[in-house]
Structures are given as C-alpha cells and as structure tokens.
Amino acid sequence: MTDIALTPAAAARVATIAAKQNKPAILRLSVDGGGCSGFQYKFGFADAAEGDDTVAETDGVRLVVDSISLDLVRGARVDYVESLGGAAFRVDNPVAASGCGCGTSFSV
C-alpha cells in the first residue's frame, strides 16, 4: 500500500490551476483539528516539498503531506470530482472512521 496517492484527474486539475497561477504543480494536503467531525482536510499550493514530507507524483504533479498529517491520511487517495453539486478535491481516506456530509471533515 502506498502512503498517499494522487489520481490522474486530480493531477490534471492541479496542473491547470498551477499553470494559471504561475506556480509549481505541487499540491499540499494537511490535516487540521476542527471541522464537524474532529479533523478537516486543508489543500494549498506549495513552492517545494519540505524535509519531512511524503511525496506522491502522478503525471509530473506532486502531492506532498507532512509527517504529522500523514498519520491521519496514510493510504488515502486524493481525487478530483465534478458533480451537480460542484467540483472539488476529495480524499478517499481508509483511516477515517466517519466523515461528514460536506466531505471535508472526518474522525478517526
């Protein structure tokens, strides 16, 4: 099992956004306390990977996760989905015991 994965759909979306913002195609996933279920996912662009980051690469796009957050998302897959409700990055997290309706919060 890989520590973390980025789907081709998510990689393509990151590449598109990064090109428009003239930034490197590096998406940072971190976990913060809070949200309706205890923890929440936070996405942002990074200029580079940090020393303790785990890095996954798909189609030239990198997903980076710090060592503390990795414990809460190990084995997860970051996807990009478009639906009637809108388009968003989604985390399929096998560590999460439960989630919430908004899809951005979870508990372990």
Side-chain angles (χ1 to χ4, degrees):
M1 175 174 82
T2 56
D3 282 340
I4 191 85
L6 186 66
T7 68
R13 185 62 182 155
V14 169
T16 299
I17 295 169
K20 285 181 183 174
Q21 296 184 358
N22 203 20
K23 293 204 174 266
I26 304 171
L27 180 68
R28 176 168 296 284
L29 168 63
S30 58
V31 176
D32 286 343
C36 29
S37 295
F39 294 101
Q40 59 188 353
Y41 302 113
K42 184 176 170 190
F43 289 102
F45 281 86
D47 292 323
E50 302 293 329
D52 70 337
D53 285 343
T54 293
V55 179
E57 188 166 327
T58 301
D59 300 333
V61 175
R62 289 185 284 171
L63 171 67
V64 295
V65 182
D66 65 89
S67 60
I68 294 169
S69 296
L70 184 64
D71 286 341
L72 297 167
V73 296
R74 192 175 305 278
R77 190 175 67 107
V78 176
D79 197 6
Y80 181 75
V81 292
E82 295 184 44
S83 66
L84 292 175
F89 289 104
R90 184 177 71 204
V91 180
D92 295 322
N93 186 351
V95 177
S98 64
C100 66
C102 64
T104 61
S105 182
F106 69 101
S107 65
V108 291

